[in-house]
Amino acid sequence: MAPFTFRVTHRDGCARRGILTTAHGEVETPAFMPVGTQGAVKGITHRDLESIGAALLLSNTYHLYLRPGDDLIARRGGLHRFIGWSKPILTDSGGYQVFSLAARRTIDEQGVHFCSHLDGSGHLLTPERATDIQIQLGSDMAMVLDECLAHPAEPAEARRSMERTIRWARRARDRFLAVADRGTAGVTVTNPSQAQFGIVQGSTFPELRRESVEATVEIGFEGYAVGGMSVGEPVDLMYDVLSSTTGSMPDAHVRYLMGAGTPADLVEAVARGVDLFDCVLPTRNARNGQLFTSAGRINIKNARYAEDDRPPDPACGCYTCRTFSRAYLRHLFMAGEINAATLNTLHNLYFYLDTLRRIRESVVFGRFEPFRLAFHQSLSGQPFE
């Protein structure tokens, strides 16, 4: 199986184009990961994902641990075989999900004690357990367990959380290396080439972020992620914190911005040196009738589209836009047809993936800044509807 590697092939300012190599294939970066929380991207098949250029997926440790269970998936040969996806997969640690449970969890140095949202049963997710689960899933990229804070956070609270995340990262790395070196009873390694990513925290405080980068890099991971962004902070503040954070991160490693991802966010994060993205917006918004287009967002349920024969986005080449009108998509949505979610999801994911494709092209040809300006100008041409 191919070892995990990353190399930058082109630069334009801070924007980078690169090649991420995994045991399940190569990924051209910057890249966007559709979110397949439970081993499936809602509303769309793997076949359609491949047809629109999806090169990797994100799945969630918390949900797969609870159902159907990482032991079952390991017995099936790992997550790739279980879900029928042959390309790379990244799994998050489940940290965001357990922290979002609020009243259902408590945090201590050991880990996170939580009650399942499915049946109320009690569980303990530790850095070691999150590592073991992901080893059994066999994803190509596995995230350490981190502590997530909502915005705003007091400096002292942010420091305590950041320092705990560092201690957890050390424990996760020690466990990851121990299993790789000696194996561990009860843990099935389904992907020997799995890479582990550290996560940088520190809320909106640049100094804490820099400390977190330094300590996380000292531990040593195959890749690094920026966590705790897009949790309620103003967009301009997020961009400022991201700039100072990526500027401190090692240049030779892949950089992943977790969970943030309006189309404008993707472009601005690439401008700050980010290589990987995930976000539920394109799929969640599609199911709610909101479509991302080159001229801004449209809500297809609005009455103004009842007799609109134009495609959702005349500039888009996806199957939905090549085949169906806004009037028909509105009809499907208002009638509660399952196809409404499928066709909307197909379009939104195509728009995201195509945006990243065009970003990669602009970096290769040294045209990223003109692309960036034109992209924002295009989006602002139509107000939110």
Side-chain angles (χ1 to χ4, degrees):
M1 303 180 80
F4 180 90
T5 62
F6 174 72
R7 62 186 177 91
V8 177
T9 60
H10 300 82
R11 300 177 188 272
D12 188 3
C14 292
R16 299 136 49 107
R17 178 168 178 169
I19 300 290
L20 189 66
T21 302
T22 77
H24 292 91
E26 291 187 341
V27 178
E28 295 183 352
T29 64
F32 178 81
M33 294 177 278
V35 177
T37 298
Q38 302 188 80
V41 178
K42 288 181 173 64
I44 193 170
T45 66
H46 293 342
R47 178 189 61 193
D48 287 337
L49 286 170
E50 291 186 8
S51 76
I52 60 175
L56 71 168
L57 295 183
L58 180 144
S59 287
N60 179 257
T61 295
Y62 166 85
H63 287 283
L64 293 173
Y65 158 68
L66 290 178
R67 183 176 56 192
D70 53 299
D71 288 332
L72 183 149
I73 292 174
R75 292 194 298 272
R76 306 277 72 74
L79 189 58
H80 291 85
R81 287 185 61 188
F82 182 61
I83 70 174
W85 177 259
S86 62
K87 296 184 177 184
I89 297 174
L90 182 146
T91 47
D92 59 19
S93 68
Y96 179 81
Q97 282 69 32
V98 295
F99 290 118
S100 67
L101 292 172
R104 290 174 171 264
R105 52 84 174 161
T106 58
I107 306 167
D108 58 28
E109 193 63 25
Q110 187 179 11
V112 187
H113 305 260
F114 69 95
C115 295
S116 166
H117 72 287
L118 297 176
D119 59 12
S121 58
H123 301 266
L124 171 62
L125 187 65
T126 66
E128 294 82 4
R129 187 71 183 101
T131 300
D132 289 351
I133 293 168
Q134 293 178 86
I135 288 172
Q136 297 215 124
L137 296 177
S139 55
D140 298 282
M141 292 155 277
M143 308 305 300
V144 300
L145 182 66
D146 62 325
E147 183 175 353
C148 307
L149 285 182
H151 178 81
E154 293 298 321
E157 179 187 20
R159 173 169 290 281
R160 284 194 299 271
S161 176
M162 181 269 288
E163 291 176 346
R164 174 176 283 159
T165 291
I166 292 168
R167 293 192 296 272
W168 283 0
R170 166 52 68 189
R171 289 166 53 189
R173 189 60 174 176
D174 288 346
R175 180 65 170 186
F176 182 83
L177 295 176
V179 174
D181 289 343
R182 301 185 299 274
T184 299
V187 179
T188 302
V189 178
T190 58
N191 180 2
S193 296
Q194 186 180 66
Q196 189 180 46
F197 283 25
I199 302 176
V200 174
Q201 288 287 354
S203 187
T204 57
F205 304 100
E207 183 56 38
L208 293 184
R209 289 279 176 178
R210 283 191 288 271
E211 287 184 38
S212 180
V213 169
E214 183 178 344
T216 307
V217 170
E218 185 178 356
I219 295 170
F221 293 93
E222 285 76 41
Y224 297 93
V226 180
M229 294 276 89
S230 195
V231 290
E233 75 279 3
V235 171
D236 289 345
L237 178 57
M238 180 180 78
Y239 293 161
D240 288 344
V241 173
L242 187 59
S243 292
S244 62
T245 304
T246 55
S248 304
M249 296 171 80
D251 182 76
H253 291 72
V254 64
R255 302 166 180 164
Y256 164 32
L257 175 60
M258 304 179 71
T262 67
D265 290 342
L266 303 184
V267 174
E268 288 305 306
V270 169
R272 290 158 173 80
V274 174
D275 307 299
L276 290 178
F277 302 90
D278 80 279
C279 189
V280 298
L281 278 183
T283 48
R284 179 180 292 169
N285 289 21
R287 297 192 301 276
N288 291 320
Q290 186 181 93
L291 302 178
F292 292 93
T293 79
S294 57
R297 288 178 279 184
I298 64 174
N299 284 327
I300 202 65
K301 59 193 172 193
N302 285 357
R304 72 181 71 182
Y305 302 121
E307 299 186 51
D308 191 335
D309 293 328
R310 294 174 296 168
D313 185 354
C316 178
C318 78
Y319 170 73
T320 302
C321 289
R322 294 196 318 267
T323 313
F324 304 107
S325 67
R326 297 179 181 187
Y328 179 63
L329 294 176
R330 179 180 186 274
H331 159 68
L332 292 179
F333 186 87
M334 300 306 291
E337 285 288 341
I338 293 173
N339 279 355
T342 297
L343 294 173
N344 291 348
T345 299
L346 184 66
H347 165 76
N348 276 358
L349 285 177
Y350 181 97
F351 180 79
Y352 268 62
L353 294 169
D354 189 59
T355 297
L356 270 296
R357 179 191 61 78
R358 292 188 293 135
I359 287 174
R360 292 193 297 269
E361 281 188 358
S362 73
V363 173
V364 168
F365 291 104
R367 300 284 301 166
F368 176 73
E369 190 58 25
F371 169 87
R372 177 189 182 191
L373 295 175
F375 187 84
H376 286 303
Q377 194 168 38
S378 176
L379 285 184
S380 64
Q382 177 176 321
F384 180 88
E385 297 181 81

